[in-house]
Amino acid sequence: MSLLSRQGVLAVPIELTLQQAGLLALLAVTFGLLITEWLPNDLVALLVVLTLAMTGLLSPRDALSGFSSEPAIVVVSVFVLAAALQQTGISEAVGAWMSNVAGKGYRSTVAVIMASVAALSVFTHHITTTAMLLPVTTQIAQKRQLPASLFLIPLSFAASLGTTVTIIGAPAFLVASAALQQGGSPGLGIFSIAPIGLTLTAAGIFFVVLFGQLLLPRHDDPGQLGDRSHIDNYFTELIIQPDARFVGKSLTDTMRAGRFQFTVVGWLRGQHALPGPYGPLRLQAGDVLLVHTTSADLAALRHERGLELHAVEKFRLGKRGSLRHADGEHIVQAVVAPDSDFINRTLREIDFRRRFGAIVIGFWRRGELLQNALADIRLQAGDVLVLQGDADSLARVERLPAFLLLAPLHGDPRRRHKAPIAVAIVAAVIAATILGIFPLDIAMLAGAVAIVLTGCLTPDQAYRAIDKRIYVFIAGAIPLGLAMQQTGTADLLADQLNRVVGGWPEWAVLLLLYLVVGLVTQIMSDAATVALFAPVAVSLAKVTDASPEAYVVTVAMAAVTACLTPTGHHGNLLVYGPGRYRYVDFLRIGVPFTALIGTLVALLAAVLW
């Protein structure tokens, strides 16, 4: 079988074997499915595995090899380690630090935001860090009375740059390392790309600091997301139990222990309200604290011995130190409808327990710091009530037109006292990898197991932290690269590409490779793009007698850092709505930003390898 390719006016025949023609057809179909998203990416990956095995392009063992491959094991472990950093409050502490140290001017603020998110993204998926720091960034913008649109694109760009420092920051680098190993090279070490990644991160931050105000839009309305992000600022009442270990201690000393975080806005002792400031006051059994807290810390408070939600104590629904989830008890959120009969009535007047069998254990209102007793709050449209009850009682509430919806309250208890352990485990994993004590996948897997064994995460939390779709997609993408190697398709495509770039300096070849991959990754995921182009890059390096590492790393860097459009990376999509961006906003800053990053990647890769 032959095809014709053209270089200028010269037609050159391309001889294809039946296997190569079949694989190219499979690549075309896969490419089309990934672009159109007619099927989920993970299902496409499974179809690729089945097609490779059933058509004989790969043996069944090779077709399934991705599920036990190093990249698949590493990416699963990374999700667990990242969740531990978030669950133990380390990521939250970074956000608070950002807010404190960022200067009042735009340049200093954006530099701190970008440097912080890049540092977090070194060992955490960029989508996780972007989502985690998005509310923090918006609040910083509000405090400085600047549009959030000046900060959210830099936030997303910096998260992508941070993943270029280690090969565990983005799945694309793990796929690239697997492609090198399939081509006969040793693969990438955990910090082998650090010189490029650190340079790119510094250059990207410097670029935005200098030109951000000129290239970024000013879409006013910085408060829109800020209000929405405070949905986690719940109001509730806590009663101190006689067996509380902090009875007799001051509130300041109790909070300094760091097991949970909340803001006390009122303090009732008996029938009297104590005056502030509350920090020096000593806790006594029976004291009722009116507090604001997050959903995660609300969950933590329910498991703290010596603390009880006042409503639960009052109606005797719970046991000491925790809400009773057994026997069908659930916790949900209900939104007060605009035309609700309950508007302007207090919770005491409504008496949820008597009427519905459920109790109100928490409350949220947009833009207000409530300080009254929970039972004395008069409801307004849009208020959110946190309800506890069994399925029957909550069903009675749900049937009422007075509420718009009922949704579960999501929030796992923070384990801040485990933060030193989580940091030590992550540090040990990095050290073991750098020193070569264990292979990367074994070291990462051991770290993930240690996170669970030491109680930084529960087994359920660890499983929930894993993005199963990414795991399946990577497992399906790796054998596709193997098939390109074994059938000679990668060599064939590389030979044709070499006819175009023959005689070019290496940095120019790498720059062209970066630009081509950078355009494709705007419509495909980074891991999928690398899976398709990395085997071609390995073969092209062999044809040109160059280092395959330079070519494959360039492909992975392009897939991760080419930030041209809002659809190019999921992090860009996260900030697209909150920043009120238009498509052209990303092009305006993304084109010069990507051109700078691509040039640096081509030059540095040519020098390093």
Side-chain angles (χ1 to χ4, degrees):
M1 185 179 298
S2 67
L3 297 175
L4 292 180
S5 70
R6 292 190 175 272
Q7 181 182 7
V9 296
L10 178 63
V12 180
I14 305 176
E15 294 296 333
L16 291 177
T17 66
L18 188 59
Q19 280 191 325
Q20 290 170 346
L23 183 57
L24 287 173
L26 175 60
L27 287 174
V29 173
T30 301
F31 190 77
L33 289 174
L34 292 173
I35 292 175
T36 59
E37 296 185 348
W38 287 344
L39 296 174
N41 284 359
D42 51 336
L43 181 56
V44 173
L46 291 176
L47 290 174
V48 167
V49 170
L50 290 174
T51 303
L52 291 173
M54 295 172 71
T55 59
L57 291 172
L58 285 179
S59 67
R61 180 183 296 273
D62 286 341
L64 294 170
S65 62
F67 289 94
S68 59
S69 64
E70 178 183 277
I73 299 300
V74 169
V75 77
V76 166
S77 304
V78 165
F79 281 122
V80 175
L81 293 173
L85 295 178
Q86 185 171 5
Q87 206 61 36
T88 55
I90 296 171
S91 303
E92 182 182 335
V94 172
W97 174 85
M98 284 171 53
S99 183
N100 291 332
V101 306
K104 294 184 178 180
Y106 172 77
R107 285 189 167 93
S108 60
T109 302
V110 78
V112 169
I113 290 173
M114 292 186 71
S116 301
V117 71
L120 277 177
S121 297
V122 170
F123 301 106
T124 308
H125 197 281
H126 67 95
I127 299 174
T128 303
T129 53
T130 302
M132 186 170 52
L133 295 182
L134 194 152
V136 175
T137 301
T138 307
Q139 291 166 24
I140 292 174
Q142 284 182 294
K143 290 179 181 178
R144 285 148 184 78
Q145 296 184 333
L146 291 170
S149 58
L150 288 174
F151 298 96
L152 295 184
I153 282 180
L155 173 75
S156 178
F157 283 12
S160 294
L161 291 175
T163 62
T164 64
V165 177
T166 68
I167 68 169
I168 63 174
F173 292 108
L174 299 173
V175 176
S177 182
L180 284 170
Q181 293 171 342
Q182 290 168 359
S185 298
L188 299 172
I190 185 171
F191 283 108
S192 58
I193 59 174
I196 298 179
L198 292 172
T199 303
L200 298 184
T201 302
I205 294 174
F206 189 68
F207 175 86
V208 174
V209 168
L210 283 183
F211 304 110
Q213 287 177 298
L214 296 175
L215 299 174
L216 288 165
R218 286 178 171 268
H219 297 316
D220 294 327
D221 190 16
Q224 182 178 8
L225 177 69
D227 289 341
R228 198 181 312 147
S229 69
H230 280 88
I231 187 66
D232 221 23
N233 192 19
Y234 293 94
F235 177 73
T236 191
E237 298 173 347
L238 303 174
I239 185 168
I240 309 301
Q241 302 289 345
D243 61 345
R245 53 192 177 83
F246 36 77
V247 167
K249 295 183 179 180
S250 70
L251 179 63
T252 299
D253 291 339
T254 302
M255 299 298 292
R256 191 176 291 133
R259 293 182 66 91
F260 41 76
Q261 297 292 324
F262 52 77
T263 301
V264 177
V265 295
W267 193 317
L268 304 178
R269 180 168 291 167
Q271 300 298 317
H272 304 286
L274 301 182
Y278 301 119
L281 298 182
R282 297 188 177 276
L283 294 161
Q284 294 183 11
D287 284 354
V288 176
L289 305 181
L290 313 184
V291 305
H292 284 265
T293 188
T294 66
S295 60
D297 279 311
L298 182 58
L301 294 169
R302 289 161 30 216
H303 294 275
E304 179 65 28
R305 179 178 179 179
L307 279 179
E308 185 61 278
L309 296 175
H310 190 208
V312 176
E313 171 74 8
K314 183 177 179 181
F315 294 109
R316 301 183 183 278
L317 288 178
K319 298 179 180 179
R320 186 178 65 181
S322 64
L323 286 180
R324 186 164 54 98
H325 284 290
D327 303 325
E329 292 291 335
H330 304 283
I331 299 178
V332 301
Q333 301 174 92
V335 181
V336 179
D339 56 352
S340 172
D341 296 336
F342 296 150
I343 290 177
N344 291 326
R345 299 177 64 184
T346 66
L347 295 175
R348 190 190 309 276
E349 293 169 348
I350 297 171
D351 195 352
F352 270 79
R353 176 60 179 171
R354 181 182 59 81
R355 295 182 63 173
F356 309 112
I359 60 172
V360 180
I361 63 172
F363 187 88
W364 175 87
R365 175 174 291 165
R366 181 188 301 272
E368 288 193 29
L369 190 66
L370 300 168
Q371 294 180 293
N372 297 327
L374 195 60
D376 296 328
I377 296 175
R378 291 193 177 274
L379 296 183
Q380 298 178 9
D383 288 347
V384 177
L385 306 181
V386 182
L387 305 175
Q388 179 188 333
D390 59 25
D392 291 339
S393 63
L394 295 178
R396 287 191 288 272
V397 175
E398 190 171 19
R399 286 193 292 267
L400 291 174
F403 296 101
L404 294 177
L405 59 89
L406 261 68
L409 176 70
H410 296 289
D412 291 320
R414 291 282 188 263
R415 300 167 180 258
R416 290 187 172 86
H417 60 294
K418 297 286 187 178
I421 298 175
V423 171
I425 290 173
V426 173
V429 168
I430 297 170
T433 304
I434 294 175
L435 298 175
I437 300 175
F438 298 110
L440 177 61
D441 51 349
I442 296 300
M444 296 293 293
L445 185 60
V449 172
I451 285 293
V452 176
L453 289 178
T454 56
C456 297
L457 291 178
T458 66
D460 286 343
Q461 288 173 332
Y463 280 115
R464 289 201 307 268
I466 298 169
D467 191 325
K468 287 84 173 175
R469 293 193 171 192
I470 290 182
Y471 166 74
V472 172
F473 181 78
I474 289 178
I478 286 175
L480 189 61
L482 184 61
M484 292 181 70
Q485 294 282 358
Q486 290 189 7
T487 61
T489 306
D491 293 337
L492 179 73
L493 296 176
D495 182 67
Q496 296 303 310
L497 185 58
N498 185 49
R499 295 176 185 273
V500 176
V501 300
W504 288 21
E506 186 175 20
W507 68 267
V509 177
L510 294 175
L511 181 57
L512 175 64
L513 193 60
Y514 181 97
L515 294 176
V516 171
V517 174
L519 289 173
V520 173
T521 199
Q522 303 308 304
I523 53 177
M524 290 180 59
S525 72
D526 52 3
T529 306
V530 174
L532 292 178
F533 280 92
V536 179
V538 171
S539 297
L540 180 61
K542 292 179 179 178
V543 171
T544 57
D545 196 26
S547 169
E549 286 83 0
Y551 285 70
V552 173
V553 167
T554 297
V555 167
M557 288 286 178
V560 171
T561 63
C563 301
L564 295 171
T565 67
T567 58
H569 293 285
H570 293 302
N572 290 352
L573 290 173
L574 280 178
V575 303
Y576 187 75
R580 302 180 68 231
Y581 293 117
R582 300 188 300 269
Y583 198 93
V584 71
D585 293 331
F586 283 85
L587 288 174
R588 186 178 177 188
I589 188 172
V591 170
F593 179 89
T594 301
L596 170 65
I597 298 301
T599 302
L600 289 173
V601 168
L603 293 174
L604 290 171
V607 170
L608 288 175
W609 288 286

